[in-house]
Amino acid sequence: QTRMDSKKKKKKKKSPLRLLLIDTKKAYFNAIPLRDVYMRLPGELLLSKDVVGKQTRCVDGTRDAGMLWEETCRIALDKIGFKTGLANPCLFNHGDYNMQAVVHGGDLTFLGAADRLDWIAEELKKVFDIKVRGRLGIGRADDEIKILNRLVKIDERGLPFEADPRH
């Protein structure tokens, strides 16, 4: 449950590991389409049915949205020192800060020392509209968080998760 902080190798201070769960609000809108995409506009606008809108941002449901969001997120993480996993492009590692990340759609999960998690949350706020869903770690008051319609808990056995019974 602890790891050596790579920036403080001389002191050999161990920091407790924590999980940080972040939700990127309207994640797909952060990506810019690479092709011209047009859509019908809502009837509430009282425009002619012949009028369409050209997307300047990706929208949920378009073919490119997921791919372009992943690329937008990868670029943002790369700029602050994360490297994309070789086997899986949704996994990231920050070697200097000894931190790992998983991206699943607009949900980002980070594993690292508490001060590093504070840092990553602040860095992401500069780029995206995010909501910190919470943190998990042994010795914290938070013992469960709902993410991706799952209840994730932490206990002495590890990180069991189960389907959210409220759904």
Side-chain angles (χ1 to χ4, degrees), residues 22 77 108 110 120-128 130:
I22 292 177
L77 290 173
L108 292 82
F110 294 89
I120 190 64
E122 290 306 312
E123 289 297 314
L124 289 174
K125 284 178 186 176
K126 295 175 186 175
V127 183
F128 305 122
I130 65 167

Side-chain angles (χ1 to χ4, degrees), residues 4-132:
M4 301 299 292
D5 188 337
S6 61
K7 288 284 189 184
K8 299 177 182 179
K9 287 182 180 176
K10 293 179 183 176
K11 293 184 181 181
K12 303 229 183 234
K13 181 181 177 186
K14 292 185 179 185
S15 300
L17 292 179
R18 301 283 187 247
L19 275 177
L20 173 67
L21 298 116
I22 292 177
D23 178 38
T24 309
K25 298 178 183 177
K26 306 213 183 285
Y28 293 154
F29 289 118
N30 290 291
I32 298 171
L34 298 178
R35 61 188 177 94
D36 291 340
V37 179
Y38 297 89
M39 60 191 280
R40 289 191 181 122
L41 299 172
E44 296 84 27
L45 294 176
L46 303 174
L47 297 171
S48 166
K49 291 185 181 194
D50 297 336
V51 176
V52 294
K54 181 179 179 183
Q55 293 180 1
T56 58
R57 295 288 181 164
C58 288
V59 177
D60 293 356
T62 58
R63 285 185 286 175
D64 302 348
M67 174 190 68
L68 294 173
W69 157 246
E70 286 179 10
E71 181 65 8
T72 301
C73 186
R74 185 199 62 76
I75 290 168
L77 290 173
D78 185 61
K79 285 181 179 178
I80 54 176
F82 280 87
K83 301 296 178 210
T84 308
L86 297 175
N88 186 330
C90 297
L91 303 177
F92 297 86
N93 182 58
H94 196 301
D96 292 341
Y97 289 169
N98 205 9
M99 187 182 326
Q100 286 74 43
V102 175
V103 176
H104 183 274
D107 294 307
L108 292 82
T109 306
F110 294 89
L111 174 68
D115 61 334
R116 298 300 183 204
L117 297 179
D118 294 338
W119 169 79
I120 190 64
E122 290 306 312
E123 289 297 314
L124 289 174
K125 284 178 186 176
K126 295 175 186 175
V127 183
F128 305 122
D129 184 11
I130 65 167
K131 177 182 180 183
V132 174

